[in-house]
């Protein structure tokens, strides 16, 4: 039987977690013309308007592109890295682990500034490419970590068995290791996707004229137009994230890997 | 290399700076079932991994079927290994587990199908072809691992403590199964175990190992009846081992006069008796009963004597002694096993 105190704590936690979410949803339902809570009447017009704003369409496409391909690139690097760190007694493995984890620890503002100052400015690489590299780097630690934990549960002797049955080490990886860490790789993809999609501080520094990720575009939009469409868009994105995580949990037991 | 099918010559096997097996030479005959027997950590698995090609020897040579395979990679050695953990592929069905190696050989589909079915039938799993390993019992997984290796028709089949994860009854059943399969296929088998009873029951010959060296290489009968060293004697159940000294026998507690030493050759360092070889109830030695346990056909006594602890089995029908009783006993020369100096 929960005590009164624990009920109060639970209620407070839920209020702080879900409260803002509810406020945003309701604010987006406003019939008025400025962002306000409680909403000024109810309508769906701002939710519908979101789909007609051209800059949102472009920035949504860019954010999608970064989230999908940045995460795929991070997995392409992260899965072999996690495998090597797990299976081989490499010299300096600990150092590699720390370096790989750095983007989680270092504040995004600094990562963004550093990339701008030392990558974009001196080399003049395109903004889109810089964003892609930045998002790949940001997602990489998650990819390594999540894939590592599922590799950790996979016994090494299975690969040896495959080798004795005629596989090369590489074949053994694709035929035996990969199929057995599939759920972990999918989990890493989803986590990476959500991380990348919602990323603000790094993208802030790397966004250029006409090249903006969706969160940055929303910030810019709000500076000019203070209408409820931003709230509506936020609510839609939040639903998208929740739906993805929920599906992942249901089908993959996502929380085991994070 | 006369009749050697698998030939290990002066193998040195190491992990980094630690040498697990210093200098091992062993010849295995074709079609033989040979056991590597020894306590945990004596280098059995290490030796197996070297034969399989999973561990490169620091020095020495490995020959299989007349070919020097020392530098041949594991995937081209044609050696099968049944792991202690079975190492089955959890994402594949029993059928696909067994077909795995055949598919890599680019065999025709019908041929793969036929050989896989045969392999599953050999170990009595044909009805479970579509199950995943997680849906099979321990004994079935064990047999699946065996089938997966056997269908490859390996020159040598290595089995690393394959029965140790099974319960006692299943272990006995699988032991017979292994013997049957070996006779049916004629495959040369190297079998690792730390269980002397298992080794004695299964093997054509036994390699008793200690700290990476061969302590004794013998038939089961030879090892059981005539262990040559203290270590070997202890391992096969000679629980009473005493040094031979000019005054008689020397145990941890003291020395007693004994009539045997005057008649044994000079290089005998110790004498050993099984509990069943000690005579309880008569003799020149005296002991006090410190423990007794009923074991069906015998009663197992622990006696405190001037030599030290004695373990003795008396027929269950004999007079029953209680803890604290004084009893006469004898260490008869005719049941003694003479041990060398090692
Ligand atoms: N991967 C390893 N790294 C370092 N030492 C090892 C490794 N595997 C085994 N050893 C050591 O080698 C020796 C022999 O081990 P092993 O062959 O596994 O023994 P057994 O199979 O007879 O129990 C042991 O002392 C063990 O500690
Ligand atoms: Mg072992």
């Amino acid at each position: 039987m929960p005590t009164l105190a624990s009920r109060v704590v639970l209620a407070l936690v839920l209020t702080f977690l879900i409260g803002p979410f509810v406020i945003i949803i309701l604010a987006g339902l406003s019939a008025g013309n400025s962002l306000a809570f409680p909403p000024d009447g109810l309508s769906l017009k701002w939710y519908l308007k979101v789909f007609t704003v051209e800059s949102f369409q472009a920035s949504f496409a860019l954010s999608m592109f970064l989230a999908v391909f940045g995460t795929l690139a991070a997995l392409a690097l992260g899965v072999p890295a996690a495998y090597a760190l797990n299976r081989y007694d490499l010299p300096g493995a600990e150092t590699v682990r720390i370096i790989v984890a750095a983007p989680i620890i270092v504040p995004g503002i600094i990562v963004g500034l550093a990339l701008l100052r030392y990558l974009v400015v001196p080399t003049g690489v395109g903004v889109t490419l810089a964003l892609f590299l930045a998002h790949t780097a940001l997602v990489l630690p998650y990819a390594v970590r999540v894939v590592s934990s599922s590799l950790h549960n996979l016994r090494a002797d299975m690969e040896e068995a495959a080798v004795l049955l005629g596989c090369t080490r590489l074949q053994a990886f694709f035929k035996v290791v990969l199929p057995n860490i599939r759920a972990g790789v999918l989990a890493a993809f989803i986590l990476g996707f959500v991380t990348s999609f919602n990323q603000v501080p790094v993208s802030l520094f790397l966004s250029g004229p006409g090249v903006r990720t969706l969160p940055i575009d929303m910030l810019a939009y709000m500076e000019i137009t203070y209408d409820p469409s931003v709230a509506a868009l936020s609510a839609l994105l939040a639903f998208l994230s929740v739906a993805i995580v929920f599906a992942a949990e249901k089908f993959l037991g996502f929380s085991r890997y994070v | 290399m006369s009749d050697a099918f698998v030939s290990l010559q002066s193998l040195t096997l190491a992990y980094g700076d630690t040498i697990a097996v210093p200098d091992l030479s062993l010849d295995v005959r074709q079609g033989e079932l040979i056991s590597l027997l020894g306590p945990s950590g004596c280098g059995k698995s290490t030796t197996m991994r070297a034969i399989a090609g999973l561990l490169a020897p620091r020095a020495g040579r490995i020959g299989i079927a007349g070919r020097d395979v020392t530098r041949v990679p594991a995937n081209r050695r044609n050696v099968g290994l049944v792991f202690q953990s079975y190492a089955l592929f959890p994402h594949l069905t029993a059928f696909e587990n067994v077909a795995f190696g055949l598919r890599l050989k680019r065999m025709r589909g019908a041929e793969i199908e036929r050989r896989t079915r045969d392999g599953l039938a050999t170990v009595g799993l044909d009805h479970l072809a579509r199950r995943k390993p997680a849906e099979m019992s321990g004994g079935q997984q064990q047999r699946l691992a065996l089938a997966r290796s056997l269908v490859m028709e390996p020159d040598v089949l290595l089995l690393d403590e394959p029965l140790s994860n099974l319960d006692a009854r299943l272990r006995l059943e699988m032991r017979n199964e292994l013997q049957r399969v070996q006779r049916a296929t004629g495959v040369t088998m190297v079998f690792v175990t730390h269980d002397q009873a298992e080794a004695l029951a299964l093997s054509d010959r036994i390699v008793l190992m200690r700290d990476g060296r061969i302590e004794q290489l013998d038939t089961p009968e030879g090892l059981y009846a005539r262990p040559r060293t203290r270590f070997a004697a202890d391992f096969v159940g000679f629980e009473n081992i005493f040094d031979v000294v000019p005054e008689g026998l020397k145990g941890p507690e003291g020395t007693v006069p004994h009539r045997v030493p005057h008649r044994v050759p000079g290089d005998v360092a110790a004498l050993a008796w099984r509990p069943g070889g000690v005579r309880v109830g008569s003799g020149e030695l005296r002991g006090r009963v410190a423990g007794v346990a009923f074991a069906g056909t015998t009663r197992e006594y622990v006696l405190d004597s001037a030599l030290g602890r004695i373990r003795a089995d008396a027929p269950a029908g004999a007079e029953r002694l209680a803890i604290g009783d004084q009893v006469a006993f004898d260490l008869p020369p005719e049941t003694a096993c003479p041990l060398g100096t090692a």
Side-chain angles (χ1 to χ4, degrees):
Chain A
M1 199 53 196
T3 63
L4 182 65
S6 70
R7 278 162 193 261
V8 169
V9 169
L10 184 65
L12 282 175
V13 167
L14 287 178
T15 307
F16 279 102
L17 278 179
I18 302 193
F21 192 36
V22 172
I23 291 174
I24 288 169
I25 295 170
L26 293 177
L29 284 170
S30 171
N33 286 332
S34 69
L35 193 54
F37 187 84
D40 187 8
L42 289 178
S43 85
L44 276 175
K45 65 177 176 183
W46 299 113
Y47 277 89
L48 295 175
K49 189 195 166 195
V50 163
F51 293 95
T52 63
V53 178
E54 252 171 58
S55 78
F56 283 168
Q57 288 171 3
S59 58
F60 179 78
L62 177 64
S63 275
M64 269 308 216
F65 166 82
L66 290 175
V68 171
F69 291 98
T71 304
L72 286 180
L75 283 172
L77 297 170
V79 173
Y83 182 78
L85 288 172
N86 261 270
R87 286 291 186 267
Y88 300 102
D89 219 0
L90 298 170
E94 208 40 51
T95 316
V96 173
R97 263 187 213 109
I98 291 168
I99 291 173
V100 163
I104 294 184
I105 302 159
V106 178
I109 300 264
I110 295 177
V111 176
L113 183 62
L115 283 172
L116 179 67
R117 179 73 186 73
Y118 296 104
L119 178 70
V120 179
V121 173
T123 63
V125 300
V127 173
T128 311
L129 180 59
L131 275 170
F132 170 77
L133 293 176
H135 279 239
T136 302
L138 282 171
V139 170
L140 185 61
Y142 297 101
V144 172
R145 199 177 133 194
V146 174
V147 173
S148 280
S149 67
S150 58
L151 273 172
H152 188 78
N153 298 328
L154 193 72
R155 301 185 48 115
D157 53 17
M158 230 192 293
E159 292 153 59
E160 292 179 341
V163 167
L164 289 176
L165 292 168
C167 279
T168 62
R169 281 273 163 190
L170 195 65
Q171 281 177 314
F173 179 81
F174 283 104
K175 284 177 190 291
V176 174
V177 178
L178 210 47
N180 284 298
I181 58 166
R182 215 175 38 197
V185 173
L186 262 169
F189 180 82
I190 288 161
L191 188 65
F193 181 92
V194 172
T195 303
S196 163
F197 201 89
N198 293 326
Q199 216 290 318
V200 173
V202 176
S203 306
L204 193 56
F205 280 92
L206 300 178
S207 292
V211 184
R212 286 185 186 139
T213 64
L214 188 54
I216 306 301
D217 201 31
M218 286 162 70
L219 275 177
Y221 182 88
M222 267 172 72
E223 281 169 11
I224 299 162
T225 326
Y226 201 66
D227 71 21
S229 61
V230 172
L233 180 52
S234 302
L236 289 175
L237 292 177
F239 274 120
L240 185 69
S241 291
V242 169
I244 289 174
V245 172
F246 184 78
E249 176 62 41
K250 187 160 163 63
F251 296 116
L252 301 173
F254 184 53
S255 51
R256 267 185 300 148
Y257 298 95
V258 187
Chain B
M1 285 209 27
S2 52
D3 57 352
F5 188 68
V6 178
S7 158
L8 311 181
Q9 293 168 22
S10 307
L11 275 190
T12 301
L13 308 172
Y15 299 96
D17 291 337
T18 40
I19 293 183
V21 173
D23 177 20
L24 186 96
S25 296
L26 175 68
D27 285 345
V28 182
R29 301 174 195 133
Q30 183 156 23
E32 181 176 40
L33 199 167
I34 198 162
S35 292
L36 304 186
L37 172 68
S40 178
C42 72
K44 307 182 296 289
S45 297
T46 303
T47 306
M48 296 283 248
R49 294 175 62 78
I51 300 174
L54 296 172
L55 177 70
R58 195 60 59 88
R61 276 198 29 175
I62 301 172
I64 296 175
R67 178 167 75 123
D68 183 344
V69 298
T70 315
R71 302 268 163 263
V72 176
N75 58 343
R76 292 211 301 271
R77 274 200 194 183
N78 200 23
V79 169
L81 174 54
V82 175
F83 290 78
Q84 186 171 3
S85 61
Y86 314 146
L88 296 167
F89 306 132
H91 61 298
L92 299 178
T93 60
F95 185 93
E96 286 305 323
N97 263 279
V98 175
F100 187 92
L102 300 176
R103 293 201 190 286
L104 288 162
K105 285 191 169 179
R106 298 172 176 281
M107 219 171 254
R108 278 184 309 110
E111 178 71 3
I112 291 174
E113 172 90 16
R114 190 185 62 75
R115 283 175 60 168
T116 304
R117 297 253 165 245
D118 282 356
L120 285 167
T122 308
V123 297
L125 286 180
D126 21 359
H127 59 300
L128 298 180
R130 289 217 287 271
R131 292 258 183 101
K132 295 266 179 77
E135 301 157 353
M136 306 174 88
S137 72
Q140 288 165 347
Q141 292 184 17
Q142 162 74 82
R143 283 190 291 217
L144 182 57
L146 186 60
R148 185 178 65 176
S149 290
L150 277 175
V151 291
M152 301 302 289
E153 297 177 354
D155 289 330
V156 199
L157 182 59
L158 311 172
L159 303 111
D160 195 350
E161 312 222 12
L163 308 182
S164 62
N165 289 338
L166 304 176
D167 64 43
R169 254 188 58 193
L170 207 50
R171 201 175 310 162
L172 209 63
E173 197 181 299
M174 277 310 300
R175 205 155 92 180
N176 297 332
E177 177 89 1
L178 274 179
Q179 272 181 314
R180 185 184 64 72
V181 166
Q182 204 245 349
R183 232 168 285 135
T185 58
V187 66
T188 306
M189 280 194 191
V190 182
F191 179 92
V192 161
T193 178
H194 63 261
D195 179 348
Q196 53 114 352
E198 213 165 88
L200 292 171
L202 268 175
S203 323
D204 295 316
R205 287 191 302 160
I206 296 174
V207 182
L208 180 64
M209 289 182 68
R210 174 193 190 185
D211 296 338
R213 294 167 205 278
I214 295 180
E215 185 80 359
Q216 185 164 345
L217 171 58
D218 216 327
T219 59
E221 295 78 9
L223 183 64
Y224 187 80
R226 285 276 168 263
R228 286 195 292 270
T229 64
R230 213 174 234 280
F231 177 86
D234 188 47
F235 213 86
V236 296
F238 286 85
E239 295 184 47
N240 307 293
I241 306 177
F242 302 108
D243 290 331
V244 173
V245 293
E247 304 84 53
L249 285 181
K250 184 169 172 293
E253 296 291 323
T255 302
V256 299
H258 198 269
R259 58 193 186 287
V260 178
H262 310 295
R263 294 198 281 109
V264 298
D267 62 346
V268 170
L271 292 172
W273 286 266
R274 292 180 181 282
V278 180
R279 194 185 316 132
V280 181
S282 65
E284 292 156 15
L285 297 162
R286 294 288 174 271
R288 200 178 57 84
V289 178
V292 56
F294 177 64
T297 56
T298 59
R299 224 180 289 281
E300 301 175 353
Y301 290 108
V302 179
L303 308 176
D304 281 333
S305 76
L307 276 168
R309 287 253 144 135
I310 304 282
R311 296 187 181 274
D313 291 354
E319 182 198 358
R320 181 176 177 174
L321 302 165
I323 289 180
D325 287 355
Q326 294 292 328
V327 63
F329 72 96
D330 193 19
L331 297 171
E334 58 278 13
T335 59
C337 175
L339 305 177
T341 44

